[in-house]
Amino acid sequence: HILNVRIKISYTILWSLLISFVSLIVELLTINMNTLSHHILYVAIYLFMTNLYFKRLNIKNYIHIIPAIILSTIIISGIFYTLLGSKTSILFFQPLLIFITLIILKFYQKLQIRNESLTNLYNISLCIKEKTVTLTGFLDTGNMLTDVYTGYPVIIIDYRIFKELLSKKEYESIEKYHRTGIFDYENTNMTTRFYPLPYKTISSEISLMPALKVSLLKFTDFDYSTKKVVAGISRYKLNNHKDYQVLLNERIKPNREEKFK
């Protein structure tokens, strides 16, 4: 429950036995090593076995993480030995090593999230009602929403974008939806026809959002475009640190090999 993953009891027991066996072998092979080196080696094994257990093993990660942990520990240990000399106990380095490991792993995790965010950002042009706007889209791998009427994938657009696409009177209906959550689908002032799209999130019951058919969605940096897409209007601002205005659907993503040079 803490890890939010499904764990099979039999698989976990077998894996625990495997880790115990590996730990015993390491103990026998490194019995003459100093305590600090011993702990560094165990950190490396822990990282390797844990990631392998959760099937997230990536050898490239260890090329960066393990040397960083070892180098940081040696440098900080050297500083404390220089300052404190014989007063420094080897027991001091056990929590120090754990602390350094956690800091480096947290930094590496943040770096991976940042790189993933940059990787999933796309420049797109969206054509609705013969008007085209250039936007930034974020490929949300969790967005698998499908239009129940057409079977097309659904992208989520920040409601503010429609200020550029609709007349002032039409946009008033969008703003009312933003304030109240109620959308007037029978509004005679609107030439653009919206229809209620049912959706469900993890934390809510089935709800409705206004949606409309998109004339064309094009990835400006790729040789990829589609007309088979529906746009749902987000009632709230898409708050994010990368300033994207569209949540793209997992089913809509270009082949990176087709990127224009």
Side-chain angles (χ1 to χ4, degrees):
H1 285 288
I2 293 173
L3 298 174
N4 195 27
V5 293
R6 293 182 179 179
I7 297 178
K8 295 180 180 178
I9 298 300
S10 57
Y11 180 69
T12 304
I13 292 174
L14 289 174
W15 201 259
S16 299
L17 292 173
L18 176 61
I19 293 177
S20 300
F21 176 75
V22 172
S23 299
L24 178 60
I25 296 299
V26 171
E27 175 71 26
L28 293 174
L29 294 177
T30 63
I31 196 168
N32 294 322
M33 292 177 66
N34 63 59
T35 307
L36 184 60
S37 302
H38 204 71
H39 283 295
I40 290 174
L41 184 60
Y42 265 99
V43 168
I45 292 172
Y46 166 76
L47 291 172
F48 181 84
M49 298 298 285
T50 304
N51 281 271
L52 191 62
Y53 174 84
F54 290 110
K55 300 178 182 178
R56 293 195 304 256
L57 181 62
N58 187 344
I59 299 301
K60 292 181 180 178
N61 292 352
Y62 296 95
I63 296 175
H64 302 94
I65 293 177
I66 300 303
I69 292 173
I70 294 173
L71 182 61
S72 300
T73 305
I74 291 173
I75 292 174
I76 295 177
S77 300
I79 292 173
F80 277 100
Y81 265 124
T82 303
L83 296 176
L84 302 177
S86 58
K87 297 179 181 179
T88 307
S89 170
I90 192 64
L91 295 176
F92 167 79
F93 294 107
Q94 295 180 22
L96 175 64
L97 178 61
I98 294 171
F99 176 75
I100 292 172
T101 302
L102 291 175
I103 292 296
I104 291 177
L105 288 176
K106 194 66 178 177
F107 172 78
Y108 192 80
Q109 183 185 36
K110 292 287 186 183
L111 193 63
Q112 281 186 316
I113 293 174
R114 176 181 173 275
N115 291 336
E116 184 180 347
S117 297
L118 292 174
T119 301
N120 288 341
L121 285 176
Y122 294 88
N123 295 318
I124 63 172
S125 61
L126 206 60
C127 182
I128 297 175
K129 280 191 61 182
E130 301 181 351
K131 290 185 179 180
T132 302
V133 288
T134 301
L135 305 168
T136 301
F138 178 77
L139 181 61
D140 182 6
T141 55
N143 179 17
M144 301 291 291
L145 184 60
T146 301
D147 181 16
V148 295
Y149 308 108
T150 63
Y152 292 167
V154 178
I155 60 174
I156 309 299
I157 302 180
D158 191 313
Y159 76 93
R160 295 170 294 175
I161 299 304
F162 283 89
K163 192 171 186 178
E164 304 177 39
L165 298 170
L166 305 177
S167 66
K168 186 176 180 179
K169 285 188 176 182
E170 287 182 311
Y171 185 67
E172 287 176 357
S173 295
I174 304 293
E175 285 192 318
K176 180 182 177 182
Y177 170 65
H178 162 61
R179 294 191 306 269
T180 66
I182 300 172
F183 190 85
D184 185 7
Y185 296 98
E186 302 299 327
N187 190 341
T188 56
N189 292 325
M190 298 186 66
T191 57
T192 305
R193 306 315 302 170
F194 292 88
Y195 61 91
L197 175 70
Y199 72 96
K200 186 179 185 301
T201 62
I202 296 175
S203 59
S204 68
E205 300 297 329
I206 294 178
S207 302
L208 298 173
M209 74 168 72
L212 77 164
K213 181 77 167 54
V214 173
S215 301
L216 181 68
L217 169 64
K218 183 177 182 180
F219 290 78
T220 55
D221 298 327
F222 295 82
D223 186 18
Y224 181 82
S225 61
T226 180
K227 294 182 179 179
K228 297 182 177 181
V229 60
V230 169
I233 304 178
S234 171
R235 180 185 170 188
Y236 303 104
K237 299 176 183 179
L238 296 180
N239 295 319
N240 54 81
H241 62 287
K242 291 299 177 186
D243 197 28
Y244 55 83
Q245 303 87 34
V246 180
L247 279 178
L248 298 170
N249 195 291
E250 168 65 14
R251 291 167 55 192
I252 306 174
K253 57 183 177 180
N255 186 346
R256 292 197 171 273
E257 296 177 359
E258 296 175 351
K259 188 170 185 177
F260 292 124
K261 296 181 179 179

